[in-house]
């Protein structure tokens, strides 16, 4: 399942695509990797009805019967929205779209390490080599509970996104699932506004040619430390 993705775009591009009228995100870095239990930008239907760009924590509340220990570390990917636990989040008030330009799936080959990160190699997927903006179909909620035992109970705003059967490109790498992707403004609008009876049809496998495998983003590359530069003689600063 997808537990890492990258956003290399601007806030303005996200706002224009989604018609978000309010932006409470703060500053979005030019390129950022998003991991589980870390904040990431989403466009959501806010409680007051405004469409807004906000920063939420990745990982929806886990069904109570599946929580192990005293902390709920969150559920990042939602495969079966018909499961009783997820029914409460399917209305438009709990829907969001998650911007990205590429996402990762780990190599299925044991011991296939990435020389830069030292962990299991990832395959990266995007719409094209140019890595244009697209979105995951997501859900969000406010939640009070324990995310980290040492922090105790707190209030959070959480998000996750739906998955579905993989297409022919992803299946050899991850045979169980792929994220539900939205690649047009019409699709993101439907996800954010349509009744569930209509929006649920967007949980479908992407066409086999919808994605391509790309190089990992620069954020995943370790750069060697640069040697200190000699001071410039005659500098006025």
């Amino acid at each position: 399942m997808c537990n890492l993705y990258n956003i290399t775009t601007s806030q303005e591009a996200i706002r224009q695509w989604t018609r978000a009228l309010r932006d409470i995100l703060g500053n979005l870095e030019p390129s950022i990797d998003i991991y589980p239990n870390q904040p990431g930008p989403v466009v959501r239907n806010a409680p007051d009805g405004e469409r807004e760009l906000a920063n939420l924590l990745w990982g929806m509340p886990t069904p109570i019967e599946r929580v192990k220990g005293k902390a709920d570390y969150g559920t990042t990917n939602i495969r079966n929205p018909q499961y009783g636990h997820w029914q409460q989040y399917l209305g438009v008030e709990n829907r969001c779209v998650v911007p990205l330009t590429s996402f990762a799936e780990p190599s299925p080959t044991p011991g296939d390490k990435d020389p830069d990160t030292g962990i299991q190699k990832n395959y990266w997927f995007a719409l094209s080599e140019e890595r244009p903006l697209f979105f995951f179909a997501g859900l969000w909620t406010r939640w009070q509970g324990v995310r980290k035992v040492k922090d105790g109970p707190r209030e959070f705003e959480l998000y996750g996104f739906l998955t579905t059967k993989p297409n022919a490109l992803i299946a050899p790498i991850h045979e169980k699932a792929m994220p539900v992707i939205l690649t047009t403004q019409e699709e993101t609008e439907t996800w954010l506004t349509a009744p569930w009876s209509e929006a649920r049809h967007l949980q479908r496998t992407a066409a086999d040619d919808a994605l391509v495998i790309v190089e990992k983003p620069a954020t995943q590359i370790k750069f060697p430390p640069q040697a200190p530069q000699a001071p410039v003689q005659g500098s006025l600063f």
Side-chain angles (χ1 to χ4, degrees):
M1 60 184 176
C2 176
N3 276 326
L4 169 62
Y5 62 95
N6 175 270
I7 310 170
T8 303
T9 191
S10 68
Q11 287 172 246
E12 179 61 22
I14 296 170
R15 290 195 300 264
Q16 286 188 1
W17 180 304
T18 60
R19 303 184 183 95
L21 298 179
R22 185 164 62 207
D23 187 343
I24 61 171
L25 179 65
N27 293 324
L28 179 65
E29 295 179 27
S31 184
I32 184 171
D33 297 327
I34 309 294
Y35 291 90
N37 215 16
Q38 292 187 358
V42 308
V43 176
R44 64 177 176 179
N45 296 314
D48 63 358
E50 195 75 72
R51 187 173 298 181
E52 70 179 8
L53 176 58
N55 217 27
L56 277 59
L57 198 67
W58 185 14
M60 287 286 282
T62 304
I64 189 65
E65 65 273 15
R66 298 184 181 180
V67 176
K68 299 178 180 179
K70 297 180 179 180
D72 177 0
Y73 299 104
T75 297
T76 56
N77 297 180
I78 300 159
R79 177 67 181 275
N80 182 14
Q82 302 306 321
Y83 187 73
H85 173 77
W86 302 118
Q87 290 282 303
Q88 61 189 307
Y89 305 120
L90 298 182
V92 293
E93 66 275 9
N94 285 103
R95 294 205 216 128
C96 66
V97 292
V98 183
L100 73 150
T101 48
S102 61
F103 68 92
E105 295 287 0
S107 169
T109 305
D112 189 9
K113 302 295 185 182
D114 184 303
D116 287 307
T117 64
I119 60 176
Q120 189 74 0
K121 174 185 174 181
N122 283 312
Y123 286 88
W124 286 85
F125 302 91
L127 296 186
S128 70
E129 291 290 345
E130 290 72 30
R131 306 181 198 221
L133 176 65
F134 64 111
F135 293 82
F136 291 144
L139 304 174
W140 80 277
T141 189
R142 288 174 169 163
W143 179 75
Q144 184 176 30
V146 178
R147 213 57 189 256
K148 295 181 180 179
V149 174
K150 66 177 182 179
D151 295 337
R154 294 188 178 186
E155 293 184 353
F156 300 92
E157 291 188 324
L158 308 174
Y159 75 98
F161 50 79
L162 271 62
T163 62
T164 187
K165 293 180 180 179
N167 64 9
L169 180 68
I170 293 179
I173 299 165
H174 194 282
E175 63 180 3
K176 293 184 178 180
M178 68 173 291
V180 172
I181 64 172
L182 308 174
T183 60
T184 68
Q185 287 182 300
E186 290 75 19
E187 289 175 342
T188 56
E189 191 69 20
T190 296
W191 182 254
L192 289 171
T193 63
W196 177 245
S197 59
E198 180 182 349
R200 67 184 182 89
H201 295 295
L202 290 170
Q203 190 187 16
R204 75 283 185 256
T205 302
D208 291 340
D209 62 354
L211 298 162
V212 298
I213 296 176
V214 295
E215 293 295 322
K216 61 189 175 186
T219 47
Q220 291 285 303
I221 300 174
K222 291 182 179 178
F223 294 97
Q226 296 183 354
Q229 297 181 344
V232 177
Q233 297 297 320
S235 172
L236 298 178
F237 301 99

